[in-house]
Amino acid sequence: MTTTADADANAAGGTADDAERHEAAAHLDLQRWRGRATDPEADRSRAEEATPEAIARLRVRSRALLRDLLRPHRGRLGLAVGLLLAQNAAAMSGPYLVMLGIDRAIGPLRAGDSGPLVAIAGAFAAATVVEYAARRGFLTLSARIGQAVLLELRQRVYGHFLRLSVGFHERYTSGRMISRLTSDLDSIAELLDGGVDSLVLAGLSILSVAGILLWLDLPLAAVTLLAFPFLFLLSRWFARASAGAYRRTREAVSLVIVHFVESLRGIRAVQAYRREPRNQRIFAAVNDDYRQASLRAFRLIATYSPGIKVIGNVTVAVVLGYGGARVLGGAMEVGVLAAFLLYLRRFFEPMQELSQFYNSLQSATAALEKLAGVLDERPGVAEPARPAPLPGGDARGAVEFRSVSFGYRAGAPILSGLDLSVPAGQTVALVGATGAGKSTIAKLLARFHDPDAGTVALDGVDLRDLADAELRRAVVLVAQENHLFSGSVAENIRFGRPGADDAAVQAAARAIGAHDFIAALPDGYATEVRRRGGRLSAGQRQLVAFARAFLADPRVLILDEATSSLDVPTERLVQRALATVLRDRTALVIAHRLSTVETADRVLVLDGGRVVEDGPPERLTATGGRYAALRRQWRDSLV
Amino acid sequence: MPAESDGVPTHRGDAARPLRNLWRLRHYLRPHAVAFCWLLVAALAATGASLAVPLVVQRVVDGPVARHDPGGLVRLGGLALLLGLAEALLIFIRRWAQTSSSVGMEATIRADIYAHLQRLPAGFHDRWQTGQLLSRVTSDLSVIRRFLSFGLLFLVLNLVTYVAVVVLLVRLHPTLGLLVAASAVPLFLISRRFGRYYHAASRRMQDQQGDVATLVEETAQGLRTMKAYGRGPELAARFADGARALHDTGVAKSRLLARTSALFDLVPNLTLGVVLVAGAVAAARGALTIGELVAFVSLQLMLIWPVQSLGWIIANGQEAATAADRIQEVLDTEPAIVDAPHAVGLARAGVRGRLAFEGVSFRYPGTPAPVLRGIDLTVEPGETLALVGATGVGKSTLLSLVPRLHDVSAGRITLDGHDVRDLRLASLRRLVGVAFEEPTLFSMSVWENLTLGRPDADADEVRAALALAQADFAYELPWGLATRVGEQGLTLSGGQRQRLALARAVLGRPALLVLDDPLSALDVHTEALVEAALRRVLRDTTALLVVHRPSTVALADRVALLERGRITAVGTHSRLLATVPAYRAVLSADPAPPADAGPRAGAALAGPDGRGLVRS
Ligand SMILES: Nc1ncnc2c1ncn2[C@@H]1O[C@H](COP(=O)(O)OP(=O)(O)OP(=O)(O)O)[C@@H](O)[C@H]1O
Ligand SMILES: Nc1ncnc2c1ncn2[C@@H]1O[C@H](COP(=O)(O)OP(=O)(O)OP(=O)(O)O)[C@@H](O)[C@H]1O
Ligand SMILES: [Mg+2]
Ligand SMILES: [Mg+2]
């Protein structure tokens, strides 16, 4: 951190040359920059431990995943292989027919009989057509299979990410999630693109040629077999080395993506704080790391593939020497040796293809491992296997916290033994110093997290026993950090109740006083709000988020600082709307502005994870405790 | 990049010159030119060696073995071995060189795109989805890398092979040879047609990849909202649409490739058939010996592989071309906010901090009406001015003009009399400390987050800033200031995030503080403490604050009221409260509607009928 000032000046141009980049990479202390995660399992799924057993387990899982994905396509795969074989047979018959034509058709032709030539030409044409059709069919079919597998995998992983808890996502980070669903899938696509082709053809020709070799001459074939231990050793070396290398590229690329996504997301802060040079250096470091990881992986295959070539060519020379000697000794025909040598070459050539396939497989497996690790992750906040129904069908909205303890980390409890009972229909305001744990209570009630001990219950049913859909219909949290999706204003409001018609959307906006501003936008309700609602002002975003909750119309509404960015009159308007809405609903309102709190039926003062005062606002004001003090302070600050 | 476009950029590559953008990337090849020459030579030599090995083997069999000459066997056998080893070595050299240059090039382009993106202003990033940018630096770049390391090489190798073989064929038998040469015409036509269709499909696929990346990114960000409303199924359906579109394009693309590849197979085969028939007829007439025909056909068989692989190479090339288009779209966007040629830097010590808005107007690109019109406002050195106005009136917009996150549409902003556009960006932004309404934190250590703009700050400065923002909680985090805060700071409470952002803004004593609603997430008690501390700092720092709460107004020396894009009143809080009803309406806790609350366009005071105060 001390050398940064001058280095920043160097890198300010942005297009620093390579040497400088390496230097930057060397100087930058990435560990220090990223800071220490509070969770030792940050940055990876639980299955991805660093122990050899865990790695082996994941590898098995990833292969199983691949098989599982291919299973529904068994029939089509068989057909594709059939087409491939047909194409190959047709392709092989071409040269044969040509030779046949030369041998058999020219003589009769000279004699004036064009019959054989016509027959052979016809056969040739037929073979050509078969080859065309089979090749086209095979390529189309295999691409279909590959794409279907990718689609399935992509949806499966995405769906699983949605099921995983907020806690998981907090430590895994979005950049990593993006990298799983984009870059990792790309490398699997690469395997599916050309894999079947080379695997089947190469395998096939190696097997058939091996048969021919054995049939041609046993002793020479035995000598050829001597190459196999070397091939095996080389392949084993490659398998081990490349598995690690590709694993590293997957990790390196996700760091690139994490940094890229995060810094562009916060580009305003980056620019306002002239963070660009340092960001550039960090990017150079992670980028260089990725470059080196890829380089290492690619160099392995750049060694492996010529290595196989060496074994093949040496074997050819040895067979030539040994076979030559045998011919000299009279133990073998020259013609057999010639044929053997010809076929030997065709034995080793497909091995190159196989090595390429193996390479893609290794790369895809590394990616699959990451995906398998994610799919292996059990949701920390899981849906119950057998959900309990709410008594009497619909929720009434009674909320109860029974000796709830919770902490984000072991050994750092935020709430301990919290008891709280809110009867249906009551509006409760939660106040307390920042960091007291108010949002934590809200998040527990919305079941973002499960308590470490005790239960949170809705109408007497533990939230852990409620089906997710039912819980979400009954309880909605408007979080402190609200989020708008890119899309129109109407779509964002409709997020609260997807089936709602335009009239309902407008009614919700009207009810909280957002209609006028929305109507005055260039395209009204159809205006694109852009990424994270960037088209709107902070207050406007809050209003839209509010309208969304209003439309969802849950029995229990949790408002966490939902009006903090509004101006006073708008806030008052929202409060007035709330007063009507909340009359028969349960509400948990968290607000620092006490104007919101005053309208509540009951106020809870939270301190150090405990409720220290509890009662109607008037009574608390009168008894002169903390709330009374807060309220006095707030009153004084008003105009 | 369409300068005024809203939404997703739709710029397409130049259809007439599909390879133009790929060609423009050539300067990245320059540092690797020597390596590239070497690898070409190695590739050609390896091909030669691989052709020579069977020839030598054949010679061994026909010569020494047939003639029972052990010495010759050893010599020629040794030669075969040497050639075989040389071939492997050459392949090794080619692949090794190829690997380092292509991977190096990919990394260089990626770093340059990132550097460029960092220079592009907020307006650009508002319009472009991060996922689209991301897919450019990952998928698109790897397509280009693959083209550079395989496609291009095989294109050259195969062309060389093709031409060489055709020349040999023509020399062997001019008529038949020309017939084979003529088969290049349909090949060319097929390639051209294929290239055109594939170009479009490949572009569509890459755009859709970007869309999928965008969807994922957005899901990750909106995860809590998704959970809060239980909208997993809807998002999954939305994602399924995107993934299915990608799937469909992939299938369509491969159907194109399948058809063309099969055609590339068909054409040489048909030519072969024609040669066979014509050759047989000629041989029957005695115009050609059978040996010549055999030689001709064997040579011609060597053409099949280079032609067959053409489909794949063209596909690869088109993908690289559209990837290059997409990359150049970003690189071609000129940063709109840059240092003027004559820009000067100001030293911190020499700055008094007089900030003036002179007739400033601002309109977001793509919107019909300006947000700010003719703002005149001066903040004297050391003065604290609070900006007050209804939600959505343009306060944050006004603040963003000061550090030039956006540039004014008309008028000018001056700092100590210098137009901010005449100052060096780095210098200006060094002088201005900003806190946005949403605290932007990154998933890195607290220290790094605090020293975002001041990497050279020392522990004492950081401690002072944290103390001022009442953010001493940072020392109590599990690893103190080395603790990594979660993405967007979401592992902290709302108030904790905001206090860190405030500490960051005041760190290093900027000449000008620009704070957007800096205390909105704080409880009354903490707010009072921060205010007390801030007041000490603000005594000698010029500051512009956006304020919603009456309590925070107390920090300001003067208040300006922003209404309908104009400053309609400036004065002390108490004076405005007494004399300007609109001011009282915006800030007063008194729920009684003020006198002038008429149905003004979009700014009517709220009534029970749900009319809002919020402007758009
Ligand atoms: N996801 C998280 N991981 C780890 N710690 C967290 C997380 N969220 C909150 N905390 C910590 O838990 C404590 C309580 O946070 P919480 O968000 O509940 O506070 P709060 O009362 O809502 O405060 P504020 O008024 O500032 O929003 C804080 O110390 C915070 O740092
Ligand atoms: N990127 C953008 N493109 C187009 N219009 C925008 C953009 N950002 C904001 N606006 C519009 O400009 C107006 C001013 O927005 P701004 O964020 O400056 O308001 P604000 O006064 O800060 O409001 P708040 O009090 O809610 O923060 C709003 O009506 C908003 O809809
Ligand atoms: Mg909170
Ligand atoms: Mg604002």
Side-chain angles (χ1 to χ4, degrees):
Chain A
M1 229 137 283
T2 46
T3 61
T4 46
D6 52 345
D8 278 359
N10 290 342
T15 44
D17 65 30
D18 255 329
E20 208 172 305
R21 251 181 218 131
H22 289 260
E23 204 190 341
H27 277 288
L28 189 74
D29 184 351
L30 281 181
Q31 227 39 56
R32 178 118 183 241
W33 155 64
R34 303 205 57 213
R36 294 174 71 168
T38 47
D39 187 332
E41 286 186 344
D43 305 344
R44 59 182 162 84
S45 59
R46 252 173 246 285
E48 296 174 56
E49 289 165 52
T51 60
E53 303 86 66
I55 289 174
R57 203 165 50 232
L58 255 189
R59 221 163 162 76
V60 172
R61 293 242 169 86
S62 63
R63 293 276 157 86
L65 176 62
L66 187 61
R67 274 196 300 280
D68 187 38
L69 288 166
L70 285 173
R71 194 163 303 130
H73 304 286
R74 261 173 312 180
R76 289 208 275 174
L77 262 176
L79 182 59
V81 171
L83 282 171
L84 189 59
L85 296 183
Q87 182 224 318
N88 227 31
M92 299 284 221
S93 68
Y96 175 73
L97 284 171
V98 171
M99 291 312 156
L100 206 63
I102 294 171
D103 288 350
R104 304 277 169 79
I106 297 179
L109 199 60
R110 282 196 181 123
D113 174 12
S114 62
L117 182 61
V118 170
I120 288 175
F124 187 88
T128 307
V129 169
V130 168
E131 187 181 348
Y132 170 79
R135 184 169 171 79
R136 189 166 166 180
F138 166 75
L139 287 176
T140 312
L141 192 61
S142 66
R144 269 186 182 280
I145 298 171
Q147 289 292 338
V149 167
L150 281 182
L151 179 65
E152 164 68 22
L153 185 58
R154 197 170 255 140
Q155 281 182 291
R156 211 189 269 190
V157 175
Y158 181 83
H160 198 73
F161 269 126
L162 292 186
R163 275 190 293 282
L164 289 171
S165 65
V166 172
F168 170 84
H169 285 278
E170 264 166 18
R171 63 191 168 79
Y172 201 67
T173 75
S174 66
R176 232 170 240 101
M177 167 172 169
I178 297 170
S179 121
R180 294 292 91 87
L181 280 162
T182 57
S183 163
D184 286 1
L185 273 160
D186 282 351
S187 66
I188 296 169
E190 247 173 86
L191 172 72
L192 294 171
D193 263 356
V196 196
D197 205 350
S198 53
L199 179 65
V200 172
L201 280 188
L204 190 77
S205 65
I206 289 176
L207 283 182
S208 55
V209 172
I212 296 176
L213 290 180
L214 284 170
W215 175 74
L216 274 176
D217 190 69
L218 266 180
L220 273 189
V223 172
T224 310
L225 282 185
L226 283 182
F228 274 80
F230 295 102
L231 282 178
F232 174 75
L233 285 179
L234 186 65
S235 300
R236 205 181 56 174
W237 163 80
F238 176 71
R240 294 210 176 133
S242 66
Y246 279 117
R247 210 171 289 135
R248 236 169 69 65
T249 60
R250 293 293 99 215
E251 272 150 30
V253 75
S254 50
L255 282 187
V256 170
I257 293 180
V258 167
H259 181 68
F260 184 87
V261 169
E262 225 193 346
S263 56
L264 291 191
R265 205 185 272 160
I267 191 74
R268 288 165 149 270
V270 166
Q271 295 185 339
Y273 282 96
R274 299 159 291 120
R275 172 77 177 175
E276 298 95 332
R278 186 153 167 80
N279 263 350
Q280 190 68 37
R281 280 161 15 92
I282 293 169
F283 190 77
V286 291
N287 192 23
D288 196 63
D289 218 35
Y290 177 43
R291 186 185 66 86
Q292 275 170 6
S294 318
L295 199 58
R296 212 176 107 65
F298 293 156
R299 282 193 168 159
L300 288 174
I301 174 69
T303 313
Y304 177 55
S305 170
I308 286 190
K309 197 93 200 172
V310 167
I311 294 180
N313 284 347
V314 169
T315 311
V316 169
V318 169
V319 167
L320 179 64
Y322 177 63
R326 268 165 53 89
V327 172
L328 292 187
M332 198 176 155
E333 292 292 317
V334 176
V336 175
L337 177 60
F340 198 96
L341 286 168
L342 269 183
Y343 277 113
L344 197 56
R345 228 180 139 71
R346 292 181 62 176
F347 181 70
F348 282 109
E349 246 152 36
M351 296 241 172
Q352 294 289 313
E353 299 235 331
L354 273 191
S355 73
Q356 285 301 334
F357 169 78
Y358 198 42
N359 182 45
S360 314
L361 181 68
Q362 290 291 76
S363 153
T365 305
L368 269 171
E369 274 175 24
K370 295 278 170 200
L371 297 177
V374 170
L375 289 175
D376 228 41
E377 187 84 18
R378 290 298 107 222
V381 178
E383 265 210 76
R386 224 170 298 123
L390 285 170
D394 260 350
R396 285 173 300 114
V399 169
E400 188 162 8
F401 283 67
R402 259 177 253 127
S403 47
V404 168
S405 298
F406 177 77
Y408 294 96
R409 291 183 298 280
I414 305 288
L415 306 175
S416 36
L418 178 79
D419 282 302
L420 172 63
S421 166
V422 181
Q426 194 174 55
T427 299
V428 178
L430 206 51
V431 297
T434 114
K438 305 179 293 296
S439 303
T440 305
I441 292 182
K443 285 189 268 183
L444 286 175
L445 181 51
R447 207 172 171 230
F448 279 12
H449 306 274
D450 278 337
D452 298 335
T455 54
V456 182
L458 173 68
D459 290 338
V461 182
D462 190 336
L463 295 189
R464 279 176 284 218
D465 296 333
L466 273 179
D468 195 55
E470 190 154 23
L471 170 66
R472 300 305 167 196
R473 212 173 316 122
V475 180
V476 158
L477 163 66
V478 181
Q480 201 163 5
E481 47 285 322
N482 70 60
H483 178 88
L484 299 191
F485 293 88
S486 54
S488 69
V489 176
E491 277 164 15
N492 269 293
I493 298 178
R494 198 171 283 127
F495 196 81
R497 178 148 59 85
D501 58 15
D502 288 347
V505 168
Q506 288 207 14
R510 253 178 226 285
I512 56 137
H515 175 76
D516 281 354
F517 104 78
I518 299 172
L521 289 170
D523 297 318
Y525 281 83
T527 308
E528 279 287 320
V529 302
R530 300 223 193 101
R531 190 156 54 104
R532 306 189 70 196
R535 164 70 181 78
L536 303 179
S537 84
Q540 291 168 338
R541 280 198 290 277
Q542 278 197 335
L543 282 176
V544 172
F546 219 99
R548 170 156 79 194
F550 196 91
L551 185 66
D553 192 24
R555 296 296 315 179
V556 180
L557 184 60
I558 314 164
L559 301 173
D560 190 355
E561 292 283 341
T563 53
S564 61
S565 296
L566 298 180
D567 60 52
V568 178
T570 311
E571 185 188 26
R572 200 155 46 230
L573 179 66
V574 170
Q575 272 159 20
R576 205 171 300 159
L578 269 183
T580 17
V581 180
L582 297 183
R583 201 163 294 141
D584 52 348
R585 316 225 152 208
T586 312
L588 191 61
V589 180
I590 301 172
H592 288 309
R593 299 194 195 171
L594 297 190
S595 48
T596 312
V597 172
E598 304 248 275
T599 58
D601 300 324
R602 176 178 167 197
V603 173
L604 300 172
V605 181
L606 199 67
D607 187 33
R610 287 177 187 285
V611 176
V612 291
E613 281 177 36
D614 179 355
E618 308 81 41
R619 207 187 73 210
L620 292 188
T621 314
T623 43
R626 289 182 193 230
Y627 178 71
L630 271 182
R631 194 172 169 284
R632 207 172 325 109
Q633 200 168 7
W634 169 68
R635 270 277 151 207
D636 292 346
S637 73
L638 293 184
V639 283
Chain B
M1 245 308 302
E4 292 274 314
S5 127
D6 231 10
V8 182
T10 52
H11 185 84
R12 292 285 131 137
D14 186 351
R17 297 163 67 193
L19 296 180
R20 190 172 144 261
N21 281 324
L22 191 58
W23 179 239
R24 286 175 57 203
L25 289 176
R26 69 187 175 283
H27 65 268
Y28 287 104
L29 250 166
R30 203 159 299 140
H32 305 282
V34 176
F36 227 84
C37 289
W38 274 117
L39 75 88
L40 252 181
V41 170
L44 286 171
T47 315
S50 75
L51 287 177
V53 173
L55 290 179
V56 171
V57 168
Q58 208 52 47
R59 191 150 301 164
V60 176
V61 174
D62 291 348
V65 174
R67 274 187 277 113
H68 291 260
D69 165 16
L73 175 63
V74 171
R75 253 182 288 117
L76 280 177
L79 181 61
L81 182 65
L82 278 183
L83 273 175
L85 291 180
E87 181 197 1
L89 182 67
L90 286 167
I91 294 183
F92 174 75
I93 291 174
R94 162 172 79 75
R95 297 196 68 137
W96 193 272
Q98 203 169 313
T99 305
S100 17
S101 51
S102 61
V103 172
M105 216 154 20
E106 180 189 1
T108 313
I109 303 180
R110 185 179 294 120
D112 282 355
I113 298 178
Y114 183 74
H116 191 74
L117 283 173
Q118 287 206 92
R119 276 194 299 269
L120 288 168
F124 172 89
H125 292 279
D126 279 352
R127 283 192 300 272
W128 282 67
Q129 296 282 4
T130 312
Q132 284 291 356
L133 298 176
L134 177 71
S135 70
R136 281 163 167 82
V137 298
T138 53
S139 316
D140 289 355
L141 273 181
S142 64
V143 166
I144 293 182
R145 167 177 45 77
R146 267 201 297 277
F147 177 68
L148 290 176
S149 60
F150 290 106
L152 191 58
L153 182 73
F154 283 113
L155 188 64
V156 173
L157 279 185
N158 289 358
L159 279 182
V160 169
T161 316
Y162 188 86
V163 171
V165 170
V166 167
V167 166
L168 283 178
L169 287 177
V170 172
R171 287 186 48 182
L172 210 58
H173 192 277
T175 325
L176 286 182
L178 286 176
L179 187 79
V180 174
S183 74
V185 174
L187 287 179
F188 176 74
L189 292 177
I190 296 168
S191 310
R192 206 176 58 171
R193 202 180 118 90
F194 171 60
R196 203 173 301 141
Y197 283 113
Y198 204 81
H199 190 86
S202 146
R203 172 72 201 222
R204 183 152 24 102
M205 179 109 174
Q206 285 160 358
D207 285 345
Q208 284 167 346
Q209 268 169 348
D211 290 344
V212 166
T214 301
L215 272 178
V216 176
E217 200 243 353
E218 196 163 46
T219 307
Q221 286 205 47
L223 196 95
R224 290 153 188 258
T225 305
M226 182 281 287
K227 292 253 179 211
Y229 287 88
R231 291 284 165 262
E234 282 77 11
L235 282 192
R238 191 164 138 177
F239 183 76
D241 287 345
R244 185 156 286 286
L246 195 57
H247 164 270
D248 292 348
T249 311
V251 168
K253 217 171 80 161
S254 63
R255 203 180 290 137
L256 271 177
L257 182 60
R259 194 177 63 194
T260 309
S261 283
L263 279 178
F264 279 139
D265 225 24
L266 188 65
V267 172
N269 272 327
L270 284 181
T271 323
L272 189 61
V274 173
V275 165
L276 172 64
V277 173
V281 172
R285 286 213 205 97
L288 187 74
T289 69
I290 293 191
E292 280 172 337
L293 183 56
V294 171
F296 193 93
V297 168
S298 326
L299 255 181
Q300 203 192 340
L301 285 175
M302 287 183 65
L303 282 182
I304 290 192
W305 156 246
V307 173
Q308 221 179 42
S309 60
L310 205 58
W312 180 79
I313 293 175
I314 295 178
N316 191 213
Q318 292 294 356
E319 277 165 14
T322 50
D325 287 346
R326 281 164 49 86
I327 286 169
Q328 293 290 8
E329 275 165 33
V330 173
L331 290 180
D332 281 346
T333 309
E334 285 298 323
I337 299 179
V338 287
D339 283 342
H342 52 269
V344 295
L346 294 184
R348 168 70 182 89
V351 174
R352 297 179 55 237
R354 183 174 190 276
L355 179 71
F357 294 80
E358 300 170 13
V360 167
S361 295
F362 180 77
R363 186 170 69 83
Y364 281 104
T367 54
V371 175
L372 306 173
R373 331 161 204 219
I375 300 275
D376 286 304
L377 187 66
T378 308
V379 191
E380 297 300 336
E383 189 189 31
T384 301
L385 183 92
L387 196 60
V388 171
T391 291
V393 77
K395 305 178 294 294
S396 304
T397 308
L398 185 71
L399 295 201
S400 72
L401 299 177
V402 178
R404 285 188 76 199
L405 294 175
H406 295 285
D407 261 346
V408 296
S409 310
R412 61 183 206 138
I413 299 175
T414 59
L415 182 61
D416 283 353
H418 302 275
D419 188 327
V420 290
R421 284 169 297 188
D422 294 336
L423 296 179
R424 289 224 321 277
L425 266 182
S427 166
L428 171 68
R429 290 174 179 168
R430 168 87 182 72
L431 295 171
V432 181
V434 193
F436 302 102
E437 39 201 350
E438 269 162 37
T440 317
L441 299 182
F442 300 91
S443 65
M444 46 195 192
S445 64
V446 173
W447 174 279
E448 196 75 33
N449 266 298
L450 285 171
T451 58
L452 203 60
R454 288 283 318 276
D456 50 342
D458 61 32
D460 289 337
E461 288 176 278
V462 170
R463 184 179 299 278
L466 283 173
L468 185 144
Q470 304 294 313
D472 301 300
F473 72 88
Y475 292 104
E476 265 111 64
L477 291 171
W479 313 108
L481 297 189
T483 311
R484 188 189 307 170
V485 305
E487 226 177 331
Q488 298 172 52
L490 286 183
T491 55
L492 299 173
S493 87
Q496 289 171 338
R497 283 198 294 276
Q498 198 171 46
R499 281 175 288 160
L500 284 188
L502 183 63
R504 173 166 77 193
V506 297
L507 180 69
R509 296 259 163 168
L512 185 61
L513 263 178
V514 171
L515 308 176
D516 200 345
D517 209 5
L519 309 175
S520 64
L522 302 187
D523 62 277
V524 179
H525 183 65
T526 313
E527 184 188 358
L529 293 178
V530 176
E531 268 180 33
L534 255 186
R535 197 164 286 140
R536 282 197 299 277
V537 174
L538 292 181
R539 204 156 16 199
D540 46 25
T541 312
T542 314
L544 187 59
L545 316 176
V546 167
V547 169
H548 275 312
R549 290 196 213 176
S551 49
T552 324
V553 173
L555 277 176
D557 301 317
R558 281 190 308 154
V559 191
L561 176 65
L562 186 63
E563 269 187 304
R564 277 155 293 142
R566 290 207 168 78
I567 300 288
T568 50
V570 186
T572 61
H573 175 57
S574 47
R575 194 177 70 77
L576 292 192
L577 208 57
T579 57
V580 183
Y583 180 76
R584 201 164 30 195
V586 171
L587 217 54
S588 163
D590 176 13
D596 75 334
R600 270 183 277 114
L605 184 72
D609 59 337
R611 293 191 59 82
L613 242 191
V614 185
R615 283 187 42 84
S616 54

